[in-house]
């Protein structure tokens, strides 16, 4: 339930360009997931129309998640994917696999509430949105 609520919040936010979560109809494997999965988990990947530096600022503005590349903890964790998972990839390779510099992976932990995570995402996204307007 928490994953779906956070994924829906991100999917509906104007600053977020793409959300990868099997529970959302926009996911390329939504139909398969609906047939084979019993729930959709707590890992959400999303992208924004930001460069790598702006994406880093967004991650830094978040207060709830811990920055980490391991997603097996009780705390909510976050990863800027091109710094952790895809750090060895060139620009051409990132483009080929469809991972822009603004890709963020969020793993929701059970020690945080849905409201707490969404509130934190709202404040960080509003700071980035405000900065891009100025």
């Amino acid at each position: 339930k928490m994953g779906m609520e956070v994924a829906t919040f991100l999917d509906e936010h104007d600053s977020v360009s793409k959300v990868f979560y099997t529970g959302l109809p926009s996911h390329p494997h939504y139909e398969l997931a609906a047939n084979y999965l019993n729930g959709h988990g707590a890992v959400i990947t999303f992208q924004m129309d930001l460069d790598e530096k702006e994406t880093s600022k967004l991650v830094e503005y978040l207060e709830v998640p811990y920055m980490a590349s391991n997603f097996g903890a009780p705390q909510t964790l976050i990863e800027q994917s091109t710094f952790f998972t895809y750090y060895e990839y060139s620009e051409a390779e990132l483009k080929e696999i469809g991972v822009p510099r603004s890709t963020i992976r969020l793993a929701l932990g059970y020690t945080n509430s849905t409201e707490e995570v969404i509130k934190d995402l709202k404040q960080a996204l509003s700071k980035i949105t405000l900065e891009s307007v100025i």
Side-chain angles (χ1 to χ4, degrees):
K1 180 182 174 198
M2 181 180 184
M4 189 64 186
E5 289 178 27
V6 174
T8 300
F9 164 76
L10 288 167
D11 195 44
E12 293 173 353
H13 198 283
D14 291 340
S15 297
V16 177
S17 58
K18 195 167 196 176
V19 178
F20 297 93
Y21 188 73
T22 58
L24 295 175
S26 59
H27 192 279
H29 299 134
Y30 174 76
E31 297 287 330
L32 287 171
N35 287 326
Y36 294 106
L37 298 179
N38 183 17
H40 301 281
V43 177
I44 304 158
T45 301
F46 64 101
Q47 298 169 343
M48 303 177 64
D49 292 324
L50 301 173
D51 63 24
E52 192 170 62
K53 187 175 181 180
E54 293 166 326
T55 303
S56 293
K57 284 175 116 178
L58 173 69
V59 171
E60 288 173 15
Y61 289 149
L62 291 165
E63 298 170 5
V64 170
Y66 292 87
M67 195 175 311
S69 61
N70 177 1
F71 294 104
Q75 302 87 0
T76 296
L77 305 174
I78 195 160
E79 163 189 280
Q80 187 173 351
S81 297
T82 56
F83 283 168
F84 287 94
T85 303
Y86 303 103
Y87 66 93
E88 291 182 336
Y89 284 59
S90 68
E91 288 299 323
E93 290 170 321
L94 289 172
K95 187 172 183 166
E96 183 180 322
I97 63 171
V99 178
R101 296 275 176 195
S102 69
T103 303
I104 296 172
R105 189 176 319 161
L106 180 67
L108 304 169
Y110 60 80
T111 60
N112 304 108
S113 69
T114 304
E115 295 78 21
E116 181 182 19
V117 171
I118 289 175
K119 181 180 177 185
D120 191 32
L121 286 164
K122 278 183 187 177
Q123 67 82 21
L125 288 164
S126 69
K127 286 179 184 175
I128 286 295
T129 303
L130 182 62
E131 285 178 7
S132 66
V133 171
I134 296 176

